[in-house]
Amino acid sequence: MGCRDVHAATVLAFLSGTASVAGLLAAVLLPNWRQMRLYTFNKNERNVTVYTGLWIKCARFDGSRDCVIYDPQWYTAVDQLDLRVLQFALPLSMFTAASALFLCLIGMCNTAFVSSVPNIKLAKCLVNSAGCHLVAGLLFLLACAICLTPSVWVIFYNNYLNRKYEPVFSFDICVFIAIASAGGLFFTSVLLFLWYCACKNLPSPFWQPLYSHAPSMHSYASQPYSARSRLSAIEIDIPVVTHAS
């Protein structure tokens, strides 16, 4: 695996990161973070389930897909601490992961379209693929931590609400989507770190792993002469004649 080639690991990391960001976007928009099920003992009425999201709240009767009560201003009056934290954490995680995707894309484009021998005048200013992928891996890991911590906290906070009030609360599918997206971000960062570690076999500094200086011209040193070649031309060219007695 070499840094000078677009490798399958970097392409897979980019696709995994894109899927993870899409999962985070779905978790942010869907109103399925928490359910509150309200039961009625009146046979003429139906039970109601309140679906709570980060931005909207929707109440539905059992067996119905339409919202009886739809509150698009719920984000301004969120009274549950875990959801309030998620309102800030998930967009921040998405922004961090999107920045990592941008860096990853720059690294792959730089690998695919930039010449392997840089301009001597610009060699000190070049930022190549391995450096981009290294920083992208760190950003993916940070985005995973920002997303995973409050998403797991929803599960414990749900148990707290059931103990404090009544056992009518349950966490919904968005919790699983967010945790799976955090796992995808972690997998993406691991792929990029493995790729970078394989690149360290090359002579690589931290941020400019392929070229820290302009490639120098090959120096051709003259080979040392042998002892025979140091003899004078006379000694080489004039034969020594010996007379036999």
Side-chain angles (χ1 to χ4, degrees):
M1 186 188 301
C3 293
R4 294 181 178 90
D5 300 319
V6 177
H7 197 267
T10 58
V11 177
L12 180 59
F14 181 80
L15 295 177
S16 175
T18 303
S20 300
V21 172
L24 286 179
L25 180 61
V28 168
L29 297 179
L30 290 176
N32 297 99
W33 277 94
R34 175 169 290 125
Q35 293 183 12
M36 183 174 61
R37 188 166 177 80
L38 304 177
Y39 298 93
T40 178
F41 297 100
N42 190 343
K43 295 182 180 181
N44 297 324
E45 295 180 358
R46 290 180 292 176
N47 297 329
V48 176
T49 302
V50 179
Y51 296 89
T52 304
L54 302 184
W55 316 104
I56 59 176
K57 178 186 285 188
C58 172
R60 298 174 183 170
F61 289 118
D62 286 357
S64 175
R65 293 181 177 270
D66 298 328
C67 294
V68 180
I69 300 176
Y70 182 81
D71 185 6
Q73 302 296 324
W74 163 248
Y75 66 94
T76 61
V78 174
D79 57 353
Q80 300 169 14
L81 183 59
D82 56 341
L83 299 183
R84 178 65 77 182
V85 172
L86 282 167
Q87 285 181 337
F88 295 95
L90 288 192
L92 179 60
S93 178
M94 288 178 55
F95 175 77
T96 306
S99 302
L101 280 177
F102 181 69
L103 274 178
C104 190
L105 184 61
I106 289 178
M108 288 193 295
C109 292
N110 187 65
T111 302
F113 300 111
V114 175
S115 174
S116 58
V117 179
N119 190 335
I120 295 178
K121 296 181 180 180
L122 300 177
K124 288 291 185 179
C125 302
L126 290 178
V127 175
N128 52 53
S129 58
C132 290
H133 289 319
L134 175 64
V135 178
L138 294 173
L139 290 178
F140 276 124
L141 192 61
L142 177 62
C144 171
I146 296 174
C147 169
L148 183 62
T149 304
S151 299
V152 173
W153 184 36
V154 171
I155 301 175
F156 296 98
Y157 196 83
N158 189 79
N159 297 332
Y160 165 75
L161 291 178
N162 285 329
R163 291 193 304 267
K164 184 176 181 181
Y165 299 104
E166 294 182 11
V168 295
F169 296 95
S170 61
F171 49 88
D172 209 347
I173 189 174
C174 284
V175 177
F176 301 104
I177 294 177
I179 293 176
S181 300
L185 294 174
F186 180 77
F187 174 72
T188 304
S189 66
V190 169
L191 277 179
L192 294 177
F193 289 151
L194 289 177
W195 184 85
Y196 182 80
C197 290
C199 290
K200 291 302 290 181
N201 295 327
L202 299 175
S204 306
F206 179 76
W207 177 248
Q208 299 173 347
L210 300 187
Y211 292 105
S212 59
H213 57 276
S216 60
M217 298 297 292
H218 295 286
S219 60
Y220 299 94
S222 59
Q223 298 295 327
Y225 291 102
S226 62
R228 180 65 179 170
S229 64
R230 294 194 189 98
L231 298 177
S232 63
I234 299 176
E235 293 175 329
I236 296 175
D237 296 334
I238 300 177
V240 177
V241 180
T242 58
H243 299 279
S245 56

